Amino acid sequence: MSKWKLVAVACLMAILCGCVMRMQQTMSQDEENLIVVGFSQVGAESEWRVTNTESIKSALSEENGYVLIFEDARQEQENQIRAIRSFIQQDVDYIVFSPKVETGWKTVLQEAKDAGIPVIMIDRDVEEESRKLLTAYIGSDFYKEGKKAVVWLEDFLEKQGRTEEPLRIVHIQGTIGSSAQIGRTRAMEEAVARHPNWELVAQECGDFTRAKTYEVMSGILEKTKDIDVVYCENDGEALGAIDAMEEAGLKCDPEDGVIVISFDATRLALQYCLEGKIALNVECNPLQGPYVDEVIKRLERGETIEREIYVEETQFDYLTITQEMIDSRKY
Ligand code: GZL
């Protein structure tokens, strides 16, 4: 090969190497520009939780400018605390978490604050003294959800002319100590205190799962089948309670059987509502990813944000729900 060709090849190689290096620099600069978020999730106990996780993962994607470090705590608070400490050690830009229960967070949230890492809490809540260590809360008002349920039940009984007769209620609670359980339970317990003819014949924990509630409800049905209302603190529990009641020969029907009340408004439970097996389903909106993305992007732009953001929620009952309403929903 002539000398001039060698020179041309060498120049071409130098140009190519330069381009590759610039691309690598650009990629590393792009990677440097990505926002690193550590996300500690409670677990995968319900359809609601799975949808909530998917919403966060799709909103905090690389295309949206994020590196997401996801940790599933498998229903153990200790795993969440460990994950948050790991995020601090990795010096992430933001921490997002849904607290399994309201207590026990002060120390680790103070560590995050001392490390200068903003913490955005989603879904469930923590006790007041820990709230001030957070940058923002995005979630639901669980007491308000419970109030919606008991007001609907009072109106329904009024229309049925059943305001005076004894009302025997089975109350299946969610994970004890979670803010969803605390709020929804408070609403029901206040209603029972308001109505002398309402009686809690059983109050047990179904831990927000279909399997545990089937077990618990089967045990209750061995003691009594004289039940008017079953108040379940999420859809997994409602499905488990209905499985057990139907197996025991009870009819789940608000007009001539057991009135079943549920929370979450996930798709399968809304089908049960359409069939009349669930009388009322109060929505708890798991689609919190876009809200988290919006809060982080505003913080990145140095904008002020609201410290408490309550997601949009509605309710569905067996009298007004339609298949079109169910088909149009995202979960
Ligand atoms: C409510 C959420 C609850 C859901 C359950 O925001 O924390 O936990 O109602 C889930 O389905 O398990």
Side-chain angles (χ1 to χ4, degrees), residues 45-46 48-49 123-124 142 180 184 208 233-234 264 284:
E45 74 282 1
S46 62
W48 188 98
R49 183 69 53 199
D123 171 27
R124 298 179 185 174
F142 303 109
R184 293 167 187 168
F208 288 135
E233 293 187 353
N234 88 323
D264 284 355
C284 180

Side-chain angles (χ1 to χ4, degrees), residues 148 152 260 262 264-266 269-270 273-274 278-284 313-322 325-326 328-329 331:
K148 283 181 182 177
W152 183 92
V260 178
S262 185
D264 284 355
T266 51
L270 289 181
C273 196
L274 188 65
I278 291 177
L280 171 77
N281 202 323
V282 178
E283 183 184 34
C284 180
E313 295 179 339
T314 183
Q315 64 190 62
F316 302 89
D317 70 31
Y318 77 106
L319 294 165
T320 55
I321 193 167
T322 64
M325 290 160 77
I326 298 171
S328 69
R329 288 173 59 76
Y331 64 94

Side-chain angles (χ1 to χ4, degrees), residues 17-214:
C17 285
C19 289
V20 167
M21 278 173 68
R22 263 198 304 285
M23 268 175 62
Q24 280 169 344
Q25 275 170 0
T26 309
M27 276 170 65
S28 64
Q29 278 161 4
D30 285 351
E31 275 163 11
E32 272 167 27
N33 294 335
L34 292 176
I35 303 165
V36 183
V37 177
F39 173 35
S40 168
Q41 178 61 290
V42 173
E45 74 282 1
S46 62
E47 276 309 302
W48 188 98
R49 183 69 53 199
V50 169
T51 306
N52 181 246
T53 297
E54 284 163 8
S55 176
I56 299 293
K57 284 183 174 177
S58 61
L60 306 188
S61 63
E62 190 168 339
E63 300 78 64
N64 280 354
Y66 295 96
V67 173
L68 181 67
I69 306 167
F70 173 72
E71 292 289 346
D72 177 342
R74 293 181 302 286
Q75 303 297 320
E76 295 295 336
Q77 180 178 25
E78 267 319 300
N79 291 344
Q80 290 199 279
I81 292 170
R82 195 175 299 117
I84 291 171
R85 288 201 166 114
S86 153
F87 298 151
I88 295 169
Q89 281 162 3
Q90 296 174 69
D91 194 24
V92 299
D93 298 311
Y94 294 87
I95 291 171
V96 174
F97 84 121
S98 169
K100 180 188 175 188
V101 292
E102 290 201 347
T103 56
W105 302 99
K106 193 170 177 223
T107 303
V108 74
L109 292 178
Q110 187 61 57
E111 290 167 17
K113 192 171 185 70
D114 295 344
I117 300 175
V119 177
I120 298 168
M121 183 171 69
I122 64 166
D123 171 27
R124 298 179 185 174
D125 205 343
V126 294
E127 58 194 346
E128 199 49 46
E129 64 170 346
S130 297
R131 260 303 193 101
K132 58 181 183 292
L133 298 168
L134 298 166
T135 297
Y137 168 67
I138 298 165
S140 306
D141 180 335
F142 303 109
Y143 174 59
K144 185 177 170 187
E145 291 176 354
K147 289 290 287 179
K148 283 181 182 177
V150 294
V151 163
W152 183 92
L153 181 58
E154 288 166 338
D155 291 350
F156 177 74
L157 293 169
E158 174 89 30
K159 289 188 182 95
Q160 296 274 316
R162 296 172 60 181
T163 49
E164 301 310 318
E165 67 185 50
L167 194 77
R168 296 166 55 78
I169 301 165
V170 168
H171 177 188
I172 306 291
Q173 296 178 289
T175 304
I176 301 298
S178 67
S179 48
Q181 175 271 312
I182 292 168
R184 293 167 187 168
T185 289
R186 181 181 150 212
M188 172 47 76
E189 289 180 343
E190 285 178 353
V192 169
R194 223 176 19 250
H195 296 280
N197 57 316
W198 289 21
E199 179 194 359
L200 273 184
V201 294
Q203 185 179 53
E204 298 205 33
C205 176
D207 221 8
F208 288 135
T209 71
R210 183 170 187 170
K212 175 77 184 291
T213 302
Y214 170 77

Side-chain angles (χ1 to χ4, degrees), residues 210 213-214 217 221 230 232 235-252 258 260-262 269 272-273 276-279:
R210 183 170 187 170
T213 302
Y214 170 77
M217 192 68 205
L221 290 163
V230 176
C232 297
D235 285 340
E237 294 182 351
L239 299 181
I242 291 167
D243 292 340
M245 284 191 278
E246 290 184 335
E247 203 171 86
L250 290 188
K251 188 178 178 188
C252 298
V258 179
V260 178
I261 290 175
S262 185
Y272 274 55
C273 196
K277 290 186 177 182
I278 291 177

